[in-house]
Amino acid sequence: MFSIGPRRGLRRAVSAVTWYDRGCALEACDPGAAAAAYQRAVAGQPDLADAHNNLGRLLHDQGDLAGAESCYRLALCAAPGVALYWFNLGVAVEDQARTAEAIAAYEQALALDATWADAHFNLARLYELRGRAAGGDLVMLQAAVRHLLGYRKLAPTATDGRARRR
């Protein structure tokens, strides 16, 4: 009779959430390893939106704008109601000089969270640029002023005129 030996316990694979947590822990000291951990997380759980978003942020920081945009869009497919993902998408497409898409993404971020000061600031800047480029388009310039006032109301201590981009 043939014996296969004593029974052993099965090893379970590392969960997607564990890979995500590893990625978060590695971001400050080893962004490359963090990105690899986030890739493993989304391979194990494709709808893990935070992992897609964090991977997109790392790619964005490395200058891979198309890769970052793709990750932000995947995060939005999994969780379209998160303002942060819309904001990050806006930054990525704005950095690719796609202003109309950036405006739409920032507007969607504000529709989900009207208190997002940085989204108001970025919109004010984009509306002002578009308004001036269109020969002083009053509607665009009024939208710029509206969002600048929203920014100032939400971030009263901001005096340097710059918003955090992500």
Side-chain angles (χ1 to χ4, degrees):
M1 177 138 255
F2 178 72
S3 173
I4 60 171
R7 182 175 179 176
R8 297 182 191 154
L10 295 175
R11 291 193 68 200
R12 298 201 187 278
V14 176
S15 74
V17 173
T18 301
W19 282 114
Y20 171 76
D21 291 338
R22 285 183 190 174
C24 291
L26 288 167
E27 275 196 36
C29 61
D30 190 351
Y38 291 137
Q39 288 171 340
R40 301 269 318 251
V42 298
Q45 186 178 340
D47 64 344
L48 189 55
D50 284 337
H52 284 292
N53 182 67
N54 288 4
L55 178 58
R57 189 174 29 76
L58 291 174
L59 292 173
H60 199 152
D61 288 344
Q62 295 171 359
D64 182 359
L65 299 177
E69 177 187 351
S70 176
C71 288
Y72 297 144
R73 289 188 186 281
L74 288 169
L76 285 165
C77 287
V82 179
L84 173 64
Y85 305 158
W86 286 104
F87 180 81
N88 285 348
L89 176 63
V91 174
V93 295
E94 179 183 353
D95 287 349
Q96 296 176 70
R98 293 169 22 213
T99 306
E101 288 179 70
I103 288 172
Y106 293 140
E107 290 283 2
Q108 185 61 39
L110 286 175
L112 294 167
D113 182 0
T115 65
W116 197 303
D118 292 346
H120 281 290
F121 181 87
N122 288 358
L123 272 172
R125 185 175 35 75
L126 291 178
Y127 278 132
E128 180 182 9
L129 289 172
R130 289 192 92 184
R132 290 185 189 280
D137 183 335
L138 191 58
V139 173
M140 290 283 183
L141 294 174
Q142 286 174 335
V145 169
R146 185 178 77 247
H147 284 290
L148 185 59
L149 291 173
Y151 170 73
R152 287 187 177 161
K153 178 179 168 187
L154 294 168
T157 59
T159 58
D160 65 357
R162 290 178 295 150
R164 286 183 308 276
R165 304 263 330 226
R166 301 179 259 127

